[in-house]
Amino acid sequence: MIRVENLSVSYGAVAALRDVTFEAPTGKITTVIGANGAGKTTLLRTISGLVKPRQGSIRLGEFELIGTATEEIARRGVGHVPEGRGVIEELTVEENLRLGALASKVDLAEGIARQFAQFPALESRRRNYAATLSGGERQMLAMARALIARPSVLLLDEPSLGLAPQVTADMMRTISELCASEDLTVILVEQNAKSALRIAHDAVVLHLGRVAAFGTAAEIAADESLRRYYLGVVT
Amino acid sequence: MGTFLASRVMTDIFGGLATGAVVALIALSLVIIWQSTHVLNFAQGAMGMFATFVGMNLVFHGLNYWLCLLLSVVTGMVLGGVTERVLIRPLYGKPEINPIVVMIGFLGVIEAVIASIWTTNITMLPSPFSQIYYQSAGHTILVSPFIFYEVALVAIVVIAIALLFRRTNLGLQMRAAALAPEVSRLLGVRVGRLLTLGWILSTGVGTLAAVVVSTGQVLAPTNMDGIFVSAFIAAAVGGLESPLGAIIAGLAIGLTEQFILDFWSTSIAPLSGVIVLVIGLSLRPQGLFTKHVSRRV
């Protein structure tokens, strides 16, 4: 479980997050939605230790993540698929996967086999450079690379970005299945609020760095004013 | 056989390979630092010479050559690690020109420090192997035991480095840390340690090269200056990311220089690096041995 309390982040004089508080329970998907500039990516980067907050607390179970180095946060079981996927184009698919497993104690061969079983399209591309993959394949690789270390928390930043609707639907279904099968704590940042709310259990609506609403995904999806003013969802 | 080996062409080939092997070794040290930190170290030669002075000076005090060589390499590695931590680390994330400028300045500082500490040394550094050329049926073949040692040393180092980067998990992490430090951190890779390790390895190899260059010569702070230019060209022509590319380009520069010396003019010979650079980059601007990666647009 991830518990975020009174988290504030500033870039110079500009406040990116203001007093953000919410909880992402184990085995559930918590989606963070909001317009551009709402602070969604900053929130994930702060959880991963890439951004230092001005104040607040982020706890993984009982462990305080604030002040912990990014690589140590990853080694504690926080997987992060960054915006733009972050696959290393100059490495092959298999090298990207190996890289994901090295900091953990998982058996490399078993881990790679498990990810190929989860994402079969990657197996035939294992010796290809990541630069040659399609957008959907890159997303699969980014997810597989994060999952190979068997994290307890998975942070996903805009996984649907640039994907065709069918690929997005498949991706969302995969996230949902993984959350259930691996008992993952998933924090899913999405601009595609409709897709995210469909698979999420809980939802945080960010607006200009503040939590505008926090509740179950069903409640948020049903709130007409939230949908209209913050999420841009018309239907 | 002796006549053939002593022929003009074979003489040039042997001479070219001997020079090229050293160029290749220095180029390899540049490739290591590029692969592991994406920094071009223009002070590599001077750093290697500093470590050579520290270790190899003890030869003149009676210490075994090989112990001195080991001490030089260790000194070079420590110097590389400290340089990365103190001078380079604060520059990560800054414009790429910054570390280049800093290292050019550091080159001048190191050469001045060497000159101020070791002011009286005008003794020639002895060779561990004979540098006298072999004779066959009355003909001189331009190969000596020292040249065999030089070429074998380069081969061993090249194979070891290639295996490290291409076949080991440590090498994979080092490449990833240089290519995508933030993503690597998100995957639990301790990037800072790997960047330091890259500098340690690189200056270790650079120091080996400096010792080889200085063997049979008077130890001087500027011993590496001329050959470093050729090595830099070799690394660039090879593609900066390819140990094999650096080696082949280094050998090509050595051979070109030797053939120009013999068949054309001694005054043109120093331009051999430029000739290889122009031909190499005309054929493949991204470097002869850079793997072509198609990118989606």
Side-chain angles (χ1 to χ4, degrees):
Chain A
M1 180 209 289
I2 290 266
R3 187 193 302 271
V4 176
E5 282 181 25
N6 306 116
L7 188 70
S8 295
V9 175
S10 298
Y11 296 118
V14 180
L17 292 175
R18 305 167 201 226
D19 229 14
V20 169
T21 298
F22 73 95
E23 198 174 286
T26 305
K28 290 189 173 177
I29 299 172
T30 302
T31 185
V32 180
I33 47 186
N36 276 338
K40 306 186 294 294
T41 294
T42 298
L43 175 62
L44 292 197
R45 289 174 64 82
T46 311
I47 294 172
S48 280
L50 292 170
V51 174
K52 286 182 182 159
R54 198 158 44 80
Q55 65 168 52
S57 163
I58 302 171
R59 286 185 174 273
L60 171 63
E62 292 306 311
F63 184 78
E64 177 60 58
L65 297 183
I66 301 290
T68 306
T70 298
E71 42 270 52
E72 301 312 321
I73 291 174
R75 284 167 181 258
R76 281 192 168 264
V78 177
H80 185 158
V81 179
E83 191 177 16
R85 285 134 202 164
V87 297
I88 302 178
E89 296 184 337
E90 293 84 352
L91 301 183
T92 64
V93 167
E94 191 168 317
E95 285 175 331
N96 267 282
L97 288 175
R98 270 172 57 202
L99 194 61
L102 290 178
S104 69
K105 292 187 174 72
V106 298
D107 179 78
L108 198 59
E110 186 268 331
I112 289 176
R114 191 160 44 86
Q115 294 313 312
F116 284 156
Q118 179 70 47
F119 303 100
L122 294 177
E123 187 162 15
S124 60
R125 310 294 305 271
R126 65 190 300 166
R127 303 210 189 286
N128 295 130
Y129 284 96
T132 64
L133 301 184
S134 68
E137 288 169 333
R138 282 174 190 230
Q139 188 58 54
M140 284 181 216
L141 176 57
M143 296 256 299
R145 194 180 58 184
L147 289 166
I148 197 169
R150 287 195 173 276
S152 59
V153 175
L154 185 61
L155 311 177
L156 297 168
D157 197 348
E158 306 266 15
S160 72
L161 194 70
L163 300 184
Q166 186 55 49
V167 181
T168 300
D170 292 343
M171 185 58 61
M172 291 296 177
R173 190 172 53 250
T174 304
I175 293 168
S176 188
E177 287 167 4
L178 283 168
C179 176
S181 64
E182 308 272 325
D183 205 24
L184 279 170
T185 300
V186 177
I187 301 182
L188 170 64
V189 158
E190 260 297 342
Q191 284 216 36
N192 187 343
K194 202 172 168 182
S195 295
L197 287 170
R198 199 172 290 143
I199 64 161
H201 303 90
D202 296 327
V204 180
V205 181
L206 283 182
H207 180 66
L208 297 176
R210 289 187 191 280
V211 176
F214 175 46
T216 66
E219 287 167 354
I220 300 291
D223 189 317
E224 187 65 30
S225 60
L226 282 175
R227 289 167 54 179
R228 181 167 301 163
Y229 292 114
Y230 296 123
L231 309 182
V233 178
V234 179
T235 55
Chain B
M1 187 65 176
T3 313
F4 170 70
L5 291 175
S7 67
R8 195 174 175 187
V9 169
M10 288 310 290
T11 296
D12 287 340
I13 288 175
F14 291 140
L17 289 178
T19 309
V22 184
V23 173
L25 198 58
I26 306 166
L28 183 66
S29 71
L30 292 172
V31 168
I32 296 169
I33 226 161
W34 177 261
Q35 276 205 328
S36 53
T37 63
H38 270 209
V39 170
L40 286 171
N41 181 10
F42 282 91
Q44 184 77 287
M47 290 167 75
M49 280 315 300
F50 178 84
T52 300
F53 265 88
V54 170
M56 301 313 288
N57 249 299
L58 297 175
V59 168
F60 306 125
H61 295 88
L63 200 65
N64 177 278
Y65 179 94
W66 301 107
L67 278 177
C68 293
L69 175 64
L70 182 65
L71 182 63
S72 296
V73 172
V74 171
T75 304
M77 292 170 117
V78 172
L79 179 63
V82 172
T83 302
E84 192 278 335
R85 287 275 170 167
V86 177
L87 291 180
I88 299 300
R89 185 155 298 195
L91 302 176
Y92 290 134
K94 304 270 168 41
E96 289 180 357
I97 190 73
N98 291 14
I100 291 174
V101 172
V102 166
M103 293 318 290
I104 289 172
F106 193 46
L107 184 158
V109 170
I110 293 175
E111 289 189 349
V113 167
I114 294 172
S116 65
I117 296 176
W118 291 281
T119 49
T120 57
N121 196 336
I122 51 165
T123 317
M124 196 173 276
L125 184 64
S127 171
F129 296 101
S130 168
Q131 290 182 302
I132 298 169
Y133 296 131
Y134 290 114
Q135 300 286 327
S136 177
H139 299 284
T140 301
I141 303 164
L142 286 190
V143 177
S144 66
F146 180 74
I147 290 176
F148 274 122
Y149 155 68
E150 203 176 84
V151 173
L153 183 71
V154 172
I156 291 167
V157 172
V158 169
I159 291 167
I161 295 297
L163 288 175
L164 170 71
F165 276 106
R166 294 289 154 191
R167 298 269 182 245
T168 70
N169 290 332
L170 178 65
L172 173 64
Q173 287 182 311
M174 288 176 77
R175 281 191 290 150
L179 290 165
E182 186 172 293
V183 169
S184 299
R185 284 194 179 97
L186 289 175
L187 297 171
V189 176
R190 291 179 172 127
V191 171
R193 293 182 194 180
L194 295 176
L195 298 181
T196 307
L197 183 60
W199 276 74
I200 288 172
L201 268 179
S202 167
T203 40
V205 173
T207 302
L208 264 182
V211 172
V212 170
V213 167
S214 301
T215 299
Q217 289 192 49
V218 172
L219 271 180
T222 53
N223 274 2
M224 291 280 277
D225 286 3
I227 203 163
F228 180 81
V229 176
S230 298
F232 181 77
I233 291 171
V237 171
L240 274 176
E241 289 179 1
S242 165
L244 181 66
I247 301 308
I248 291 176
L251 294 176
I253 288 174
L255 289 167
T256 308
E257 184 178 308
Q258 192 65 38
F259 276 96
I260 289 174
L261 265 173
D262 191 19
F263 286 94
W264 197 353
S265 155
T266 50
S267 57
I268 303 288
L271 294 178
S272 56
V274 178
I275 293 168
V276 172
L277 180 73
V278 170
I279 295 171
L281 296 188
S282 301
L283 293 172
R284 270 176 75 88
Q286 71 270 40
L288 290 177
F289 289 83
T290 299
K291 283 195 176 116
H292 181 70
V293 176
S294 304
R295 292 167 196 272
R296 289 171 57 82
V297 179

